Amino acid sequence: NFMNNETLTAPAPNLMPKPKNIVILDKIIKIGIYLLIFLIPLWFLPITINTVGFNKQVLMVLLIVIVFILWLAKLLSQGNWKWKENKLNWTIGAFLIIYILATIFSLRPYSSLMGFATHLSGSLINILSFAALYLLILNNFKGFKKIFGLIFTFLASSAIVSIFGLFQIWGKFILPWNFTKLTSFNTIGTINTLGIFSAIVLTLTVTLLFAVKKTGLKIFLGILGLINFLILFSLNFWVLWIVLGVGMVAILIFGLAKLHQNRNQLGWLIIPMVLLVIALFFILFK
């Protein structure tokens, strides 16, 4: 009677509990990516000739290789080699093929593959690392909350970078090493690279300032945006104002396109408008 009246069904595959080793690998992979995103803006070593750029790239390649191997181990354990489909995959794949061919036929194949003694930027191993990081984020961080977690990790790191960079520009030296006793030193690279970084962070904070609901996050974003604006104001280089202006134009275009959905967001456009006017002012009147 029980068999006739009740239907026994197996749990849906997506509701089945994950094996313990899969859960552990999944956590380690996510922690590794969080660690990478937090450390890269801050990382430098005083023991090499190129204290900033080279050490960032070595750390990036090392961490990505480790996390990517763990991800492959996770796929093997699951018995599932499928990853998330995305139209951008084909573009990145085509770019990688072109880069591999350029490396093979390069006049300096080894340098094209591994980079030079003082930097890895532009090398094939560097490009492959970025592609691997793209796949890792695409397949291990799904949903707004997880993506926002990555963005907030980057902003938390950039807050430290920005405060330290502003102190350096103003001649308030914190670190003990002689090479840090320069107004041009920062954990990003050159002084102009810091400025571009600040313009991008400021654009990101303005975008998120009206997307988040929590008061504490709004205060954090407002302070971070103000610090990065002070960096741009202190450097006052026209290229940096162009970068900021382009960011504000993009925000305004997106905001106006979405304005018909919520008329209450009209006040949100005031901040990017003001920043765009300031950027244009400093571009036109030096």
Side-chain angles (χ1 to χ4, degrees):
N1 290 334
F2 175 78
M3 295 299 295
N4 291 333
N5 296 329
E6 300 290 339
T7 302
L8 298 180
T9 57
N14 58 344
L15 298 179
M16 293 285 288
K18 293 182 180 179
K20 188 175 181 180
N21 62 326
I22 300 295
V23 174
I24 293 173
L25 283 172
D26 193 52
K27 287 182 179 179
I28 294 174
I29 289 168
K30 287 183 170 63
I31 290 172
I33 296 175
Y34 279 123
L35 193 64
L36 174 72
I37 290 176
F38 183 80
L39 285 180
I40 289 299
L42 292 167
W43 188 257
F44 74 96
L45 287 176
I47 58 176
T48 56
I49 296 175
N50 187 333
T51 57
V52 179
F54 176 76
N55 293 303
K56 285 184 188 298
Q57 291 170 65
V58 170
L59 177 68
M60 181 193 74
V61 172
L62 183 62
L63 282 178
I64 289 175
V65 167
I66 293 172
V67 175
F68 195 78
I69 291 173
L70 291 174
W71 180 56
L72 293 180
K74 174 187 167 184
L75 293 179
L76 280 172
S77 300
Q78 289 177 329
N80 181 10
W81 283 88
K82 292 182 179 179
W83 52 62
K84 189 174 180 181
E85 293 293 334
N86 193 300
K87 292 181 180 178
L88 192 58
N89 292 355
W90 296 100
T91 304
I92 293 176
F95 177 74
L96 288 177
I97 291 172
I98 293 171
Y99 224 97
I100 291 170
L101 291 173
T103 301
I104 293 172
F105 295 104
S106 172
L107 296 176
R108 295 182 177 181
Y110 181 79
S111 298
S112 297
L113 174 65
M114 301 299 296
F116 293 91
T118 56
H119 67 276
L120 303 177
S121 59
S123 63
L124 178 60
I125 191 172
N126 211 28
I127 301 301
L128 289 173
S129 297
F130 279 119
L133 180 60
Y134 161 76
L135 286 176
L136 287 170
I137 293 176
L138 184 68
N139 290 278
N140 293 282
F141 291 85
K142 300 173 184 178
F144 175 78
K145 287 185 178 180
K146 291 183 178 180
I147 296 299
F148 183 77
L150 289 177
I151 295 173
F152 184 78
T153 301
F154 168 74
L155 290 177
S157 177
S158 66
I160 302 173
V161 170
S162 301
I163 293 170
F164 176 75
L166 191 60
F167 281 169
Q168 288 291 120
I169 292 170
W170 288 352
K172 307 297 182 181
F173 306 124
I174 302 171
L175 299 179
W177 301 288
N178 290 332
F179 68 89
T180 65
K181 308 296 184 181
L182 298 171
T183 56
S184 59
F185 176 79
N186 59 81
T187 63
I188 296 298
T190 65
I191 195 74
N192 288 333
T193 307
L194 174 65
I196 293 173
F197 179 84
S198 294
I200 293 171
V201 171
L202 180 54
T203 301
L204 185 58
T205 55
V206 171
T207 304
L208 293 175
L209 191 59
F210 302 94
V212 299
K213 303 298 183 183
K214 293 183 178 180
T215 305
L217 282 178
K218 285 181 177 290
I219 293 172
F220 168 74
L221 292 171
I223 294 173
L224 180 58
L226 178 60
I227 292 171
N228 282 278
F229 178 78
L230 288 175
I231 290 175
L232 295 177
F233 185 79
S234 300
L235 298 179
N236 193 21
F237 184 41
W238 64 272
V239 173
L240 308 180
W241 294 116
I242 288 178
V243 174
L244 180 64
V246 169
M248 293 304 107
V249 168
I251 291 175
L252 288 171
I253 291 173
F254 179 79
L256 291 172
K258 296 290 183 180
L259 192 61
H260 67 280
Q261 297 179 3
N262 189 354
R263 295 288 178 180
N264 295 328
Q265 291 186 347
L266 183 61
W268 168 70
L269 299 177
I270 293 176
I271 292 180
M273 283 181 179
V274 170
L275 289 174
L276 177 60
V277 170
I278 292 173
L280 290 173
F281 178 83
F282 280 100
I283 291 170
L284 297 175
F285 303 100
K286 300 179 182 180

